[in-house]
Amino acid sequence: MGRSYDSRWSLHGMTALVTGGTKGIGHANVEELAGLGAKVHTCSRTESELDDCLLEWKAKGLHVTGSVCDVSDRAQRESLLNTVSSEFNGKLNIVINNVGTNIGKMVSDYTAKDVAFLTSTNFESAYNISVLAHPLLKASAAGSIVFISSIISTKPAYFAPIYGANKGAMNQLAKHLAYDWAGDNIRVNTVAPAVIKTPLAQRYFFWQFFEGHEELIETAVSRTPIGRLGEPEEVSAMVAFLCLPAASYVTGQLIYVDGGMTTNGIYFPHKKIKNTMSCVSLYVVGKL
C-alpha cells in the first residue's frame, strides 16, 4: 500500500518535453518534473543559455537534456520531436507547452508582422508541438499535456491584446484535445498564471510600464487577495501535479495560479486591512 501510494506522487520512469525551459516558468517546470523523477528534454532558441542550464541541472543531479530550437519554425519543431522520439525510445509521457512572448502595444498599433509572429510563437507552436507529440504520448499509454496560458486569456490587460487572444485560443484548444484524445489515455489541461516574477513579466510589466510608477505595482498587488506577486515555482508545482498519476481523472481543465486575482475582487489593501483588524481585535478585548 505504501509503495502504491507513493507512486501516485512520483514521476519516476516517466519522460517529459518542456519547451522554452531555460527561463522563468519553463525553467521551474524543468526542475520540478526532473526533481520528481522524470527524464526531461527541453529546448531554447539560445544555445549559450541552454548550455549553462544543462550544466546547472547536471550539477544538481537532474536528468535533463536539451536542443536548440525555435518552436515557431516548422522544420525545427519536427527536428525537436525526432530527437525526443529517439532519446525516449518512441514514447513520451508529458509535454509542457511553455513558450510564450509578447509585444506591448495598443490593439490598433500592431502590424500584420507583429500578429503573425505572436500567433506563431504563442499559439501555433503549441498546437503543432502537441500534434507532433501525439503518437509518442499515445505510445506511452499514459500521456499528459499542460499548456501554460495566462489570466490575460480571460481578462483584458494593458498592452497585451494579441497575447491574450493567443492564450484564449490555447485554452479552447486544450479542451478540444482533451475531448479528442481521451480515448488515447492522454489528458490535457491548462494552467493560467497571473503576474509571476519572470524575465517576460519584468520586461513587459516592470521595466517598460512600472519604472517610476510604483503605484501600478501596488495596484496589481492590491487586486490580489494573497497580497503579492507569484513565483515561478508556485506555477510549476501545479503543472507537476497535473502530470502526476494522482491527477489521473483531471482533464480539460483551466486552472488559475493567480493568488486569487480572478476572484473578481476589487481592492485588497492588506496594510489597511491588517491595521483595521488590529483595531477590531483591541476593541473586542476591551482595549479601546
Side-chain angles (χ1 to χ4, degrees):
M1 287 295 291
R3 286 193 299 272
S4 176
Y5 178 82
D6 290 344
S7 67
R8 296 175 61 220
W9 301 95
S10 171
L11 296 177
H12 281 283
M14 295 191 185
T15 56
L17 168 63
V18 179
T19 64
T22 59
K23 296 178 181 177
I25 293 171
H27 187 279
N29 282 330
V30 169
E31 294 207 342
E32 196 84 47
L33 298 177
L36 287 168
K39 295 180 179 179
V40 181
H41 191 90
T42 191
C43 64
S44 171
R45 290 179 298 181
T46 308
E47 186 173 8
S48 59
E49 286 183 0
L50 179 63
D51 289 343
D52 288 345
C53 286
L54 291 175
L55 287 173
E56 172 193 343
W57 290 322
K58 183 178 180 179
K60 291 181 177 180
L62 301 177
H63 194 297
V64 184
T65 55
S67 300
V68 176
C69 177
D70 179 349
V71 295
S72 67
D73 182 273
R74 177 180 177 180
Q76 292 187 49
R77 285 193 301 263
E78 292 176 350
S79 177
L80 172 66
L81 268 296
N82 286 335
T83 298
V84 169
S85 179
S86 176
E87 185 172 320
F88 296 144
N89 299 313
K91 296 180 181 180
L92 185 62
N93 296 103
I94 297 164
V95 173
I96 311 299
N97 283 302
N98 170 78
V99 168
T101 192
N102 184 35
I103 298 173
K105 294 183 179 182
M106 300 298 287
V107 66
S108 57
D109 294 331
Y110 284 96
T111 65
K113 184 177 180 180
D114 291 335
V115 175
F117 169 72
L118 289 174
T119 301
S120 65
T121 302
N122 294 324
F123 175 73
E124 291 177 4
S125 68
Y127 164 74
N128 284 297
I129 289 287
S130 299
V131 171
L132 288 169
H134 175 254
L136 308 182
L137 292 163
K138 183 177 179 180
S140 76
S144 178
I145 300 174
V146 179
F147 291 91
I148 306 300
S149 183
S150 167
I151 63 168
I152 297 173
S153 66
T154 58
K155 306 285 183 182
Y158 184 58
F159 267 36
I162 305 304
Y163 176 82
N166 293 158
K167 294 297 188 178
M170 176 185 285
N171 297 352
Q172 194 65 14
L173 171 64
K175 292 182 181 295
H176 282 282
L177 294 184
Y179 180 83
D180 287 351
W181 293 351
D184 297 327
N185 204 25
I186 300 170
R187 298 181 297 105
V188 186
N189 292 288
T190 307
V191 171
V195 183
I196 307 297
K197 296 177 184 177
T198 66
L200 180 64
Q202 288 176 326
R203 179 180 177 186
Y204 291 106
F205 290 93
F206 300 115
W207 298 341
Q208 188 169 351
F209 305 126
F210 289 172
E211 180 97 17
H213 299 282
E214 288 76 11
E215 72 278 5
L216 295 180
I217 298 176
E218 293 175 3
T219 298
V221 171
S222 76
R223 295 180 62 83
T224 306
I226 284 182
R228 60 176 175 80
L229 303 181
E231 301 288 346
E233 295 76 16
E234 293 176 303
V235 180
S236 64
M238 175 57 70
V239 172
F241 167 72
L242 291 171
C243 300
L244 287 166
S248 59
Y249 203 56
V250 182
T251 193
Q253 301 306 302
L254 170 63
I255 301 172
Y256 295 105
V257 180
D258 65 353
M261 185 178 281
T262 50
T263 56
N264 294 316
I266 301 206
Y267 190 48
F268 302 95
H270 278 255
K271 291 182 180 178
K272 292 181 181 179
I273 288 175
K274 289 177 181 178
N275 291 338
T276 301
M277 290 306 294
S278 295
C279 290
V280 170
S281 298
L282 289 172
Y283 177 81
V284 170
V285 299
K287 299 294 185 181
L288 291 179

